[in-house]
């Protein structure tokens, strides 16, 4: 547990993590605004499915964070200290993998939540009825989460 906590601390105290998160959220917002704003004609089920998949545009950001989790140790020369604390490399890599997976999960949830936070009020103002209980929403949320992991 302490190794996981150390990996989370390393990640959240670097500026790259926050920049990638901000870029993901801005890109998601732009895609949602562009999809709804450019809608010509009626908003139908196909448009709703396309909108639900908007967070997938940023699937590369968790990939970048995952690569930074592993490579930053070498860049900053701290791999020696990490291996002194945990001399078993598989354990160290497993901790890094777990933290990278957690970051992917957090990025997926935040991106999907931002998409819903922008889309639902906007579509409600346009008198478009969309259901959050629809199986398409759950399926797309699952796909987004898997893609970000």
């Amino acid at each position: 547990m302490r190794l996981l906590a150390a990996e989370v601390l390393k990640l959240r105290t670097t500026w790259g993590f926050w920049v990638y998160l901000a870029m993901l959220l801005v890109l998601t917002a732009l895609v949602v605004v562009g999809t709804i704003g450019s809608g010509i004609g009626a908003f139908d089920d196909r448009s709703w499915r396309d909108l639900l998949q908007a967070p997938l545009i940023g699937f590369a950001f968790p990939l970048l964070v995952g690569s930074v989790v592993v490579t930053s140790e070498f860049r900053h020369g701290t791999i020696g200290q990490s291996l002194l604390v945990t001399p078993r490399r598989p354990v160290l890599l497993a901790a890094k993998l777990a933290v990278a997976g957690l970051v992917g999960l957090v990025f997926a949830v935040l991106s999907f939540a931002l998409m819903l936070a922008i889309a639902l009020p906007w579509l409600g103002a346009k008198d478009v009825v969309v259901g959050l209980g629809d199986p398409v929403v759950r399926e797309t949320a699952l796909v987004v989460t898997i893609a970000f992991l």
Side-chain angles (χ1 to χ4, degrees), residues 43-125:
F43 199 85
D44 57 357
D45 287 341
R46 180 160 175 82
S47 301
W48 176 237
R49 287 176 188 227
D50 292 343
L51 184 63
L52 286 173
Q53 294 176 359
L56 288 175
I57 195 79
F59 77 95
F61 291 108
L63 181 66
L64 288 171
V65 171
S67 64
V68 166
V69 165
V70 175
T71 59
S72 65
E73 294 272 349
F74 293 101
R75 178 176 179 226
H76 296 291
T78 58
I79 189 68
Q81 290 89 349
S82 295
L83 289 173
L84 283 174
V85 171
T86 308
R88 295 174 298 183
R89 291 174 192 235
V91 173
L92 181 63
L93 287 175
K96 289 182 180 297
L97 180 64
V99 168
L102 179 66
V103 166
L105 180 66
V106 168
F107 276 26
V109 167
L110 289 176
S111 181
F112 202 77
L114 177 65
M115 181 272 306
L116 289 175
I118 294 171
L120 292 179
W122 194 344
L123 293 175

Side-chain angles (χ1 to χ4, degrees), residues 12-64:
R12 77 178 167 90
T13 56
T14 58
W15 61 269
F17 169 77
W18 301 106
V19 169
Y20 294 144
L21 178 60
M23 289 172 55
L24 169 69
L25 296 178
V26 166
L27 185 61
T28 300
L30 287 174
V31 169
V32 171
V33 168
T35 302
I36 296 174
S38 69
I40 300 170
F43 199 85
D44 57 357
D45 287 341
R46 180 160 175 82
S47 301
W48 176 237
R49 287 176 188 227
D50 292 343
L51 184 63
L52 286 173
Q53 294 176 359
L56 288 175
I57 195 79
F59 77 95
F61 291 108
L63 181 66
L64 288 171

